[in-house]
Coordinates of all heavy atoms in Angstrom, one line a residue:
M24 N 27.0 42.7 200.8 CA 27.6 41.5 200.2 C 26.7 41.1 199.0 O 25.5 41.0 199.2 CB 27.9 40.4 201.2 CG 28.5 39.2 200.6 SD 29.5 38.4 201.9 CE 30.9 37.8 200.9
A25 N 27.3 40.7 197.9 CA 26.6 40.2 196.7 C 25.9 38.9 197.0 O 26.3 38.1 197.8 CB 27.4 40.1 195.6
T26 N 24.8 38.7 196.5 CA 24.0 37.4 196.6 C 24.8 36.3 195.8 O 25.7 36.6 194.9 CB 22.6 37.5 196.0 OG1 22.7 37.7 194.5 CG2 21.9 38.6 196.6
A27 N 24.5 35.1 196.2 CA 25.2 34.0 195.5 C 25.0 34.0 194.0 O 25.9 33.7 193.2 CB 24.7 32.6 196.1
A28 N 23.7 34.3 193.6 CA 23.4 34.3 192.1 C 24.3 35.4 191.5 O 24.8 35.2 190.3 CB 21.9 34.6 192.0
T29 N 24.4 36.6 192.1 CA 25.1 37.6 191.5 C 26.6 37.2 191.4 O 27.3 37.5 190.4 CB 25.0 38.9 192.3 OG1 23.7 39.3 192.4 CG2 25.9 40.1 191.7
Q30 N 27.2 36.6 192.4 CA 28.6 36.1 192.4 C 28.8 35.1 191.3 O 29.8 35.2 190.6 CB 28.9 35.5 193.8 CG 29.1 36.6 194.8 CD 29.4 36.0 196.2 OE1 29.3 34.8 196.4 NE2 29.7 36.9 197.2
N31 N 27.9 34.2 191.2 CA 28.0 33.2 190.1 C 27.9 33.7 188.7 O 28.6 33.3 187.9 CB 26.9 32.1 190.3 CG 27.2 31.2 191.5 OD1 28.3 31.0 191.9 ND2 26.1 30.6 192.1
K32 N 27.1 34.8 188.6 CA 27.0 35.4 187.2 C 28.3 36.1 186.9 O 28.8 36.0 185.8 CB 25.9 36.4 187.3 CG 25.7 37.2 186.0 CD 24.6 38.2 186.1 CE 24.5 39.1 184.8 NZ 23.5 40.1 184.9
W33 N 28.9 36.8 187.9 CA 30.2 37.5 187.7 C 31.3 36.4 187.4 O 32.0 36.6 186.5 CB 30.6 38.2 189.1 CG 31.9 38.9 188.9 CD1 32.1 40.3 188.5 CD2 33.2 38.5 189.2 NE1 33.4 40.6 188.5 CE2 34.1 39.5 189.0 CE3 33.7 37.2 189.5 CZ2 35.5 39.4 189.1 CZ3 35.1 37.1 189.7 CH2 36.0 38.2 189.5
R34 N 31.3 35.3 188.1 CA 32.3 34.2 187.9 C 32.2 33.7 186.4 O 33.2 33.5 185.7 CB 32.2 33.1 188.9 CG 32.7 33.5 190.2 CD 32.6 32.3 191.2 NE 33.0 32.8 192.5 CZ 32.1 32.9 193.6 NH1 30.8 32.6 193.3 NH2 32.5 33.3 194.7
R35 N 31.0 33.5 186.0 CA 30.7 32.9 184.7 C 31.2 33.9 183.6 O 31.9 33.5 182.6 CB 29.2 32.6 184.4 CG 28.8 31.3 185.1 CD 27.4 30.9 184.5 NE 26.4 31.9 184.6 CZ 25.7 32.2 185.7 NH1 25.8 31.5 186.8 NH2 24.8 33.2 185.8
K36 N 30.9 35.2 183.8 CA 31.2 36.2 182.9 C 32.7 36.5 182.7 O 33.3 36.6 181.7 CB 30.5 37.5 183.3 CG 30.9 38.7 182.4 CD 30.3 40.0 182.9 CE 30.8 41.2 182.2 NZ 30.4 42.4 182.8
N37 N 33.5 36.4 183.9 CA 34.8 36.6 183.9 C 35.8 35.5 184.1 O 36.9 35.6 184.4 CB 35.1 37.6 185.1 CG 34.4 39.0 184.9 OD1 34.8 39.7 184.0 ND2 33.3 39.3 185.6
R38 N 35.2 34.3 184.0 CA 36.0 33.1 184.3 C 37.4 32.9 183.6 O 38.4 32.4 184.1 CB 35.2 31.8 184.1 CG 35.0 31.4 182.6 CD 34.1 30.2 182.4 NE 34.1 29.8 181.1 CZ 33.4 30.3 180.2 NH1 32.6 31.4 180.4 NH2 33.3 29.9 178.9
L39 N 37.5 33.5 182.4 CA 38.8 33.4 181.7 C 39.8 34.4 182.0 O 41.0 34.3 181.7 CB 38.4 33.3 180.2 CG 37.6 32.2 179.7 CD1 37.3 32.3 178.2 CD2 38.2 30.8 180.1
V40 N 39.3 35.6 182.5 CA 40.3 36.6 182.7 C 40.4 37.2 184.1 O 41.3 38.0 184.4 CB 39.9 37.9 181.9 CG1 40.0 37.6 180.4 CG2 38.4 38.3 182.2
K41 N 39.6 36.8 185.1 CA 39.6 37.3 186.4 C 39.4 36.1 187.4 O 38.8 35.1 187.0 CB 38.6 38.3 186.6 CG 38.8 39.6 185.8 CD 37.8 40.7 186.2 CE 38.0 41.9 185.5 NZ 37.0 42.9 185.9
S42 N 39.8 36.4 188.6 CA 39.4 35.5 189.8 C 39.3 36.4 190.9 O 39.9 37.4 191.1 CB 40.4 34.4 190.0 OG 41.7 34.9 190.4
Q43 N 38.3 36.0 191.9 CA 38.1 36.8 193.0 C 39.3 36.7 194.0 O 39.8 35.5 194.1 CB 36.8 36.5 193.7 CG 35.6 37.0 193.0 CD 34.3 36.7 193.8 OE1 34.0 35.6 193.9 NE2 33.7 37.7 194.2
L44 N 39.5 37.7 194.8 CA 40.6 37.7 195.7 C 39.9 38.2 197.0 O 39.8 39.4 197.2 CB 41.8 38.5 195.3 CG 42.9 38.7 196.3 CD1 43.6 37.3 196.6 CD2 44.0 39.6 195.9
N45 N 39.5 37.4 197.9 CA 38.9 37.8 199.2 C 40.0 37.6 200.3 O 40.5 36.6 200.5 CB 37.7 36.9 199.5 CG 36.7 37.0 198.5 OD1 36.4 38.1 198.0 ND2 36.0 36.0 198.1
V46 N 40.4 38.7 200.8 CA 41.5 38.8 201.7 C 41.2 39.4 203.0 O 40.6 40.5 203.0 CB 42.7 39.6 201.0 CG1 43.9 39.6 202.1 CG2 43.2 39.0 199.8
M47 N 41.5 38.8 204.1 CA 41.3 39.4 205.5 C 42.5 40.2 205.7 O 43.6 39.7 205.7 CB 41.1 38.3 206.5 CG 39.9 37.5 206.4 SD 38.4 38.5 206.8 CE 38.7 38.9 208.5
A48 N 42.4 41.5 206.0 CA 43.4 42.4 206.2 C 43.1 43.3 207.3 O 41.9 43.5 207.6 CB 43.7 43.2 205.0
R49 N 44.1 43.9 207.9 CA 43.8 44.9 209.0 C 43.1 46.0 208.5 O 43.2 46.4 207.3 CB 45.1 45.3 209.6 CG 45.9 44.2 210.3 CD 47.2 44.7 211.0 NE 47.8 43.7 211.7 CZ 47.8 43.4 213.0 NH1 47.0 44.2 213.7 NH2 48.5 42.4 213.5
K50 N 42.4 46.7 209.4 CA 41.6 47.9 209.0 C 42.5 48.9 208.4 O 42.1 49.6 207.5 CB 40.9 48.4 210.2 CG 39.9 49.6 209.9 CD 39.1 49.8 211.1 CE 38.1 51.0 210.7 NZ 36.9 51.0 211.4
L51 N 43.7 49.0 208.9 CA 44.7 50.0 208.3 C 44.9 49.8 206.9 O 45.0 50.8 206.1 CB 46.0 49.9 209.1 CG 47.2 50.8 208.6 CD1 46.8 52.2 208.7 CD2 48.5 50.4 209.4
T52 N 45.0 48.5 206.5 CA 45.3 48.2 205.1 C 44.1 48.6 204.3 O 44.2 49.2 203.1 CB 45.5 46.7 204.9 OG1 46.7 46.3 205.7 CG2 45.8 46.3 203.5
H53 N 42.9 48.4 204.7 CA 41.7 48.8 203.9 C 41.7 50.4 203.8 O 41.3 50.9 202.8 CB 40.4 48.3 204.7 CG 40.1 46.9 204.5 ND1 39.5 46.3 203.4 CD2 40.4 45.8 205.3 CE1 39.5 45.0 203.4 NE2 40.0 44.7 204.6
E54 N 42.0 51.0 204.9 CA 42.0 52.5 204.9 C 43.0 53.0 203.9 O 42.8 54.0 203.2 CB 42.3 53.0 206.3 CG 41.1 52.8 207.2 CD 41.4 53.1 208.7 OE1 42.6 53.4 209.0 OE2 40.6 53.0 209.6
E55 N 44.2 52.4 203.9 CA 45.3 52.7 203.0 C 44.8 52.5 201.5 O 45.1 53.3 200.6 CB 46.6 51.9 203.2 CG 47.3 52.4 204.5 CD 47.8 53.7 204.5 OE1 48.0 54.3 203.4 OE2 48.0 54.2 205.6
L56 N 44.1 51.4 201.3 CA 43.6 51.1 200.0 C 42.6 52.2 199.4 O 42.6 52.7 198.3 CB 43.1 49.7 199.8 CG 44.1 48.6 199.9 CD1 43.4 47.2 199.9 CD2 44.9 48.6 198.6
E57 N 41.8 52.5 200.4 CA 40.8 53.6 200.1 C 41.5 55.0 199.8 O 41.1 55.7 198.8 CB 39.8 53.8 201.2 CG 38.8 52.8 201.4 CD 38.0 52.8 202.6 OE1 38.3 53.7 203.5 OE2 37.1 51.9 202.8
G58 N 42.6 55.2 200.6 CA 43.4 56.5 200.3 C 44.1 56.4 198.9 O 44.2 57.4 198.2
I59 N 44.7 55.2 198.6 CA 45.3 55.1 197.3 C 44.3 55.3 196.2 O 44.6 55.9 195.2 CB 46.0 53.7 197.2 CG1 47.2 53.6 198.1 CG2 46.4 53.4 195.7 CD1 47.8 52.3 198.3
A60 N 43.1 54.7 196.3 CA 42.0 54.8 195.3 C 41.7 56.3 195.1 O 41.5 56.8 194.0 CB 40.8 54.0 195.8
D61 N 41.5 57.0 196.2 CA 41.2 58.4 196.1 C 42.3 59.2 195.5 O 42.1 60.0 194.6 CB 40.9 59.0 197.5 CG 39.6 58.5 198.1 OD1 38.8 57.9 197.3 OD2 39.4 58.6 199.3
A62 N 43.5 59.0 195.9 CA 44.7 59.8 195.5 C 44.9 59.7 194.0 O 45.4 60.6 193.3 CB 46.0 59.4 196.2
F63 N 44.7 58.4 193.5 CA 45.0 58.2 192.0 C 43.7 58.0 191.1 O 43.8 57.5 190.1 CB 45.9 56.9 191.9 CG 47.3 57.2 192.5 CD1 47.6 56.7 193.8 CD2 48.2 57.8 191.7 CE1 48.8 57.0 194.3 CE2 49.5 58.1 192.3 CZ 49.8 57.7 193.6
E64 N 42.6 58.4 191.7 CA 41.3 58.4 191.0 C 41.0 57.0 190.4 O 40.6 56.8 189.2 CB 41.4 59.5 189.8 CG 41.6 60.9 190.4 CD 41.5 61.9 189.3 OE1 41.3 61.5 188.1 OE2 41.9 63.1 189.5
L65 N 41.1 56.0 191.4 CA 40.8 54.6 191.0 C 39.4 54.4 191.4 O 38.7 55.1 192.1 CB 41.7 53.7 191.7 CG 43.2 54.0 191.5 CD1 44.1 53.1 192.2 CD2 43.6 53.8 190.0
R66 N 38.8 53.2 191.0 CA 37.4 52.9 191.2 C 37.2 52.0 192.4 O 36.4 51.1 192.5 CB 36.9 52.1 190.0 CG 36.8 53.0 188.7 CD 36.3 52.2 187.6 NE 37.3 51.2 187.3 CZ 37.5 50.8 185.9 NH1 36.8 51.3 185.0 NH2 38.3 49.9 185.7
G67 N 38.0 52.2 193.5 CA 37.9 51.5 194.8 C 39.0 50.7 195.1 O 40.1 50.7 194.5
K68 N 38.8 49.9 196.2 CA 39.9 49.2 196.8 C 40.4 48.1 196.0 O 41.7 47.8 195.9 CB 39.5 48.6 198.2 CG 39.3 49.7 199.2 CD 39.1 49.0 200.6 CE 37.8 48.3 200.7 NZ 37.5 47.8 202.1
G69 N 39.6 47.4 195.1 CA 40.0 46.4 194.3 C 41.0 46.9 193.2 O 42.0 46.3 192.9
E70 N 40.7 48.1 192.7 CA 41.6 48.6 191.6 C 42.8 49.2 192.3 O 43.9 49.1 191.7 CB 40.9 49.7 190.9 CG 41.6 50.1 189.6 CD 40.8 51.1 188.7 OE1 39.8 51.6 189.1 OE2 41.3 51.2 187.5
A71 N 42.7 49.6 193.6 CA 43.9 50.1 194.3 C 44.9 48.9 194.5 O 46.1 49.1 194.4 CB 43.5 50.7 195.6
V72 N 44.4 47.6 194.7 CA 45.3 46.4 194.9 C 45.9 46.3 193.5 O 47.1 46.0 193.5 CB 44.4 45.2 195.3 CG1 45.3 44.0 195.2 CG2 43.9 45.4 196.7
T73 N 45.2 46.3 192.5 CA 45.7 46.1 191.1 C 46.8 47.2 190.8 O 47.9 46.8 190.3 CB 44.7 46.2 190.0 OG1 43.7 45.2 190.3 CG2 45.2 45.9 188.6
F74 N 46.6 48.4 191.2 CA 47.5 49.5 191.0 C 48.7 49.3 191.8 O 49.9 49.4 191.3 CB 46.8 50.8 191.4 CG 47.8 52.0 191.1 CD1 48.1 52.4 189.9 CD2 48.3 52.6 192.2 CE1 48.9 53.6 189.7 CE2 49.1 53.8 192.1 CZ 49.4 54.3 190.9
A75 N 48.6 48.8 193.1 CA 49.8 48.6 193.9 C 50.6 47.4 193.3 O 51.8 47.5 193.3 CB 49.3 48.1 195.4
A76 N 50.0 46.4 192.7 CA 50.8 45.4 192.1 C 51.4 45.9 190.9 O 52.7 45.6 190.6 CB 49.9 44.2 191.8
F77 N 50.9 46.8 190.1 CA 51.4 47.4 188.9 C 52.6 48.2 189.3 O 53.7 48.1 188.7 CB 50.3 48.2 188.2 CG 50.9 49.1 187.1 CD1 51.1 48.6 185.8 CD2 51.2 50.4 187.3 CE1 51.6 49.3 184.8 CE2 51.6 51.2 186.3 CZ 51.9 50.6 185.0
V78 N 52.5 49.1 190.3 CA 53.6 49.9 190.7 C 54.7 49.1 191.2 O 55.9 49.4 190.9 CB 53.1 50.9 191.8 CG1 54.2 51.7 192.4 CG2 52.1 51.9 191.2
T79 N 54.5 48.0 192.0 CA 55.5 47.2 192.5 C 56.3 46.4 191.4 O 57.5 46.5 191.3 CB 54.9 46.1 193.4 OG1 54.2 46.7 194.5 CG2 56.0 45.1 194.0
R80 N 55.5 46.0 190.4 CA 56.2 45.3 189.2 C 57.0 46.4 188.5 O 58.2 46.1 188.0 CB 55.1 44.8 188.3 CG 55.6 44.3 186.9 CD 56.6 43.2 186.9 NE 56.3 42.2 187.8 CZ 57.3 41.3 188.3 NH1 58.6 41.4 187.8 NH2 57.0 40.4 189.1
A81 N 56.5 47.6 188.3 CA 57.3 48.7 187.6 C 58.6 48.9 188.4 O 59.6 49.2 187.8 CB 56.5 49.9 187.5
L82 N 58.5 49.0 189.7 CA 59.7 49.3 190.6 C 60.7 48.2 190.4 O 61.9 48.5 190.3 CB 59.3 49.5 192.0 CG 60.4 49.9 192.9 CD1 61.1 51.2 192.5 CD2 59.8 50.2 194.3
I83 N 60.2 47.0 190.4 CA 61.1 45.8 190.2 C 61.8 45.9 188.8 O 63.1 45.7 188.7 CB 60.4 44.5 190.4 CG1 59.9 44.3 191.8 CG2 61.2 43.3 189.9 CD1 58.9 43.2 192.0
Q84 N 61.1 46.3 187.8 CA 61.7 46.4 186.5 C 62.7 47.5 186.4 O 63.7 47.4 185.8 CB 60.6 46.5 185.4 CG 59.8 45.3 185.2 CD 58.6 45.5 184.3 OE1 58.3 46.7 184.0 NE2 58.0 44.4 183.9
R85 N 62.3 48.6 187.1 CA 63.3 49.8 187.1 C 64.5 49.5 187.9 O 65.6 49.9 187.5 CB 62.5 50.9 187.7 CG 63.3 52.3 187.8 CD 63.7 52.9 186.5 NE 62.5 53.2 185.6 CZ 61.9 54.3 185.6 NH1 62.2 55.3 186.3 NH2 60.8 54.4 184.6
A86 N 64.3 48.7 188.9 CA 65.6 48.4 189.7 C 66.6 47.5 188.9 O 67.8 47.5 189.3 CB 65.2 47.6 191.0
D87 N 66.1 46.9 187.8 CA 67.1 46.1 187.1 C 68.1 47.0 186.4 O 69.2 46.5 186.1 CB 66.3 45.3 186.0 CG 65.6 44.2 186.6 OD1 65.9 43.8 187.7 OD2 64.6 43.7 185.9
F88 N 67.8 48.2 186.1 CA 68.8 49.1 185.5 C 69.1 50.4 186.2 O 69.8 51.3 185.7 CB 68.5 49.3 184.0 CG 67.1 50.0 183.9 CD1 67.0 51.3 183.8 CD2 66.0 49.2 183.6 CE1 65.8 52.0 183.5 CE2 64.8 49.8 183.4 CZ 64.7 51.2 183.4
D89 N 68.5 50.6 187.3 CA 68.6 51.9 188.1 C 69.0 51.6 189.5 O 68.2 51.0 190.3 CB 67.3 52.7 188.0 CG 67.4 54.0 188.7 OD1 68.4 54.3 189.5 OD2 66.5 54.9 188.4
S90 N 70.2 52.0 189.9 CA 70.7 51.6 191.3 C 69.9 52.3 192.4 O 69.7 51.7 193.4 CB 72.2 51.8 191.4 OG 72.4 53.2 191.3
K91 N 69.4 53.5 192.1 CA 68.6 54.2 193.2 C 67.2 53.4 193.4 O 66.8 53.2 194.5 CB 68.3 55.6 192.7 CG 69.5 56.6 192.8 CD 69.1 58.0 192.5 CE 70.3 58.9 192.7 NZ 69.9 60.3 192.3
A92 N 66.7 53.0 192.3 CA 65.4 52.2 192.4 C 65.7 50.9 193.0 O 64.9 50.4 193.8 CB 64.8 52.0 191.0
A93 N 66.8 50.3 192.8 CA 67.2 49.0 193.4 C 67.3 49.2 194.9 O 66.8 48.4 195.7 CB 68.4 48.4 192.8
R94 N 68.0 50.3 195.3 CA 68.2 50.6 196.7 C 66.8 50.9 197.4 O 66.6 50.4 198.5 CB 69.1 51.9 196.9 CG 70.4 51.4 197.4 CD 71.3 52.6 197.8 NE 71.2 53.8 197.1 CZ 71.8 54.2 195.9 NH1 72.6 53.3 195.4 NH2 71.6 55.3 195.3
M95 N 66.0 51.6 196.7 CA 64.7 51.9 197.3 C 63.8 50.7 197.5 O 63.2 50.5 198.5 CB 64.0 52.9 196.3 CG 62.7 53.5 196.9 SD 61.8 54.5 195.6 CE 63.0 55.6 195.1
L96 N 63.9 49.8 196.5 CA 63.1 48.5 196.6 C 63.7 47.7 197.8 O 62.8 47.1 198.5 CB 63.2 47.8 195.3 CG 62.4 46.5 195.1 CD1 61.0 46.7 195.4 CD2 62.7 45.8 193.8
D97 N 64.9 47.6 197.9 CA 65.6 46.9 198.9 C 65.2 47.5 200.3 O 64.9 46.8 201.3 CB 67.2 46.9 198.8 CG 67.7 45.9 199.8 OD1 67.3 44.8 199.9 OD2 68.7 46.4 200.5
D98 N 65.2 48.9 200.4 CA 64.8 49.5 201.6 C 63.3 49.2 202.0 O 63.0 48.9 203.2 CB 65.0 51.0 201.5 CG 66.4 51.4 201.5 OD1 67.3 50.6 201.9 OD2 66.7 52.6 201.1
F99 N 62.5 49.2 201.0 CA 61.0 49.0 201.3 C 60.9 47.5 201.7 O 60.1 47.3 202.7 CB 60.2 49.1 199.9 CG 60.1 50.6 199.5 CD1 59.8 50.9 198.2 CD2 60.2 51.7 200.4 CE1 59.7 52.2 197.8 CE2 60.1 53.0 200.0 CZ 59.8 53.2 198.7
S100 N 61.6 46.6 201.1 CA 61.4 45.2 201.5 C 62.0 44.9 202.9 O 61.3 44.3 203.7 CB 62.3 44.3 200.5 OG 62.2 43.0 200.9
Q101 N 63.1 45.6 203.2 CA 63.6 45.4 204.7 C 62.7 46.0 205.6 O 62.5 45.4 206.7 CB 65.0 46.0 204.7 CG 66.1 45.2 204.0 CD 67.5 45.9 204.1 OE1 67.7 46.7 205.0 NE2 68.3 45.4 203.2
A102 N 62.2 47.2 205.4 CA 61.2 47.9 206.3 C 59.9 47.0 206.5 O 59.5 46.9 207.6 CB 60.9 49.3 205.8
Y103 N 59.4 46.6 205.4 CA 58.2 45.7 205.6 C 58.5 44.4 206.3 O 57.8 44.1 207.3 CB 57.6 45.3 204.1 CG 56.5 44.4 204.3 CD1 55.2 44.9 204.5 CD2 56.6 43.0 204.2 CE1 54.1 44.1 204.7 CE2 55.5 42.2 204.4 CZ 54.3 42.7 204.7 OH 53.2 41.9 204.9
H104 N 59.6 43.8 206.1 CA 59.9 42.6 206.8 C 60.2 42.9 208.3 O 59.8 42.0 209.2 CB 61.0 41.8 206.1 CG 60.6 41.1 205.0 ND1 60.7 41.6 203.7 CD2 60.1 39.8 204.8 CE1 60.3 40.8 202.8 NE2 59.9 39.6 203.5
R105 N 60.8 44.0 208.6 CA 61.1 44.4 209.9 C 59.8 44.7 210.7 O 59.6 44.3 211.9 CB 62.0 45.6 210.0 CG 62.3 46.2 211.3 CD 63.0 47.5 211.3 NE 62.2 48.5 210.7 CZ 62.4 49.3 209.7 NH1 63.6 49.2 209.1 NH2 61.6 50.2 209.2
D106 N 58.8 45.3 210.1 CA 57.6 45.7 210.7 C 56.4 44.8 210.2 O 55.2 45.3 210.3 CB 57.3 47.1 210.4 CG 58.4 48.1 211.0 OD1 59.0 47.7 212.0 OD2 58.7 49.1 210.4
R107 N 56.6 43.7 209.7 CA 55.6 42.9 209.2 C 54.3 42.7 210.0 O 53.2 42.7 209.6 CB 56.2 41.5 208.9 CG 55.2 40.5 208.3 CD 55.9 39.2 208.1 NE 56.0 39.1 206.6 CZ 57.0 38.4 206.1 NH1 57.9 37.7 206.7 NH2 57.0 38.3 204.8
D108 N 54.5 42.5 211.3 CA 53.4 42.3 212.2 C 52.5 43.5 212.3 O 51.3 43.3 212.6 CB 53.9 42.1 213.7 CG 54.7 40.6 213.7 OD1 54.4 39.8 212.9 OD2 55.4 40.5 214.7
I109 N 53.0 44.7 212.0 CA 52.1 45.8 212.0 C 51.2 45.8 210.8 O 50.0 46.2 210.7 CB 53.0 47.2 211.9 CG1 53.7 47.3 213.2 CG2 52.1 48.4 211.6 CD1 54.8 48.4 213.1
Y110 N 51.6 45.3 209.6 CA 50.9 45.4 208.3 C 50.1 44.1 208.0 O 49.1 44.1 207.4 CB 52.0 45.7 207.2 CG 52.7 46.9 207.3 CD1 54.0 46.9 207.6 CD2 52.1 48.2 207.4 CE1 54.8 48.1 207.8 CE2 52.7 49.3 207.6 CZ 54.1 49.3 207.8 OH 54.8 50.4 208.0
S111 N 50.6 43.0 208.4 CA 49.9 41.7 208.0 C 48.9 41.4 209.1 O 48.9 41.8 210.2 CB 50.9 40.6 207.8 OG 51.6 40.3 209.0
A112 N 48.0 40.5 208.6 CA 46.9 40.1 209.5 C 47.3 39.0 210.6 O 48.3 38.5 210.7 CB 45.8 39.5 208.7

């Protein structure tokens, strides 16, 4: 874990464009993020989270004019909500 001085330096440097997101998540989620990072040549779990948000946003936008994408998004949402306890902390 980074020292307080290092964290403060990071916050000062990035205060206008970034904020830290410290999330407690199941080990499975951390493993999935590592897998996503490896599969898409990302720089770690933090970038995998950003990529996941990017892909989700793209799917939402695509669903606006593509019925297959809309169905897929709806299926993903229903499956997540059905099995939420498996995925959430």
